[in-house]
Amino acid sequence: MQLKIQYYALMREQAGRSEESLETSAATPADLYDELIRRYGFTLTREQLKVAVNSEFSDWSRRLTAGDAVVFIPPVAGG
Amino acid sequence: MRFRFTQTAIDTTQARRELLDLGAGGYVSFEGWVRDHNEGQEVTRLEYEAFQELAVKEGERIVAEALRRFPVKHALCIHRVGALGLSDMAVWVGVSSAHRGEAFDACRFIIDEVKHRVPIWKKEHYRSGDSGWVNCERCAATPHHTHAHA
């Protein structure tokens, strides 16, 4: 299935892009991150991240469906 | 909107006006400024970026929580994104209320929650020529710094 992924901050720099459409068989955000860590060598572990699906915080075990927009959220530093 | 982003300087005069209320006896504000040092490094400038769609939702939730928890009149938070220099204002929080105590409490609550929960990231540029994403680099499993230090 096709997913839309957006990257921010350190992960945007490490992926070398701010978004992409990806054909994947990953069933959950956790599976997807495992796949992307192999592709881009992200240095942040999954334990350090949160994940959003369709612009809302999500569980790592949520079942992804075609067309979902996924954003991995590195440790925040606003203010 | 009780939480928003701006790419230009935060207009505190306008922001304060949004808090006016005939029942308010005063207001408390907090301004976050760009500091010239962090964790032993000399900082020369910053870049902020945000996942704005979710950040605005989460920011609105924080302000709504503050309005439920504390008996205040109005509250507003504005966060800057983009390139900032030293002493530029990165964030502004304002709260008006009948009495000062709850305004201080609500203002503190909002800035603390924003720093912990809203998807905003800060890249610091150092006098050494190095740079780093705050809270992301030193705690990373593998060091990200591959470029030479100046």
Side-chain angles (χ1 to χ4, degrees), chain B residues 24-29 70-72 95-107:
Chain B
Y27 104 109
V28 167
S29 68
F70 306 99
V72 297
V95 179
S96 62
S97 69
H99 304 287
R100 67 188 181 283
E102 48 265 33
F104 277 105
D105 292 344
C107 188

Side-chain angles (χ1 to χ4, degrees), chain B residues 5-11 78-84 88-90:
Chain B
F5 287 100
T6 177
Q7 293 204 303
T8 55
I10 296 169
D11 182 350
I78 304 172
H79 205 293
R80 182 100 178 257
V81 286
L84 278 76
D88 282 351
M89 195 190 309

Side-chain angles (χ1 to χ4, degrees), chain A residues 50-53 55-59 62 73, chain B residues 54 58 61 117-119:
Chain A
K50 291 183 179 174
V51 65
V53 178
S55 299
E56 198 46 84
F57 290 111
S58 168
D59 288 339
R62 173 193 175 123
I73 299 174
Chain B
L54 179 55
E58 189 68 1
R61 283 194 282 258
R117 290 166 49 186
V118 179

Side-chain angles (χ1 to χ4, degrees), chain A residues 29 31 39 44 53 56 64-65:
Chain A
D31 294 344
R39 178 179 303 211
L44 293 164
V53 178
E56 198 46 84
L64 293 170
T65 60

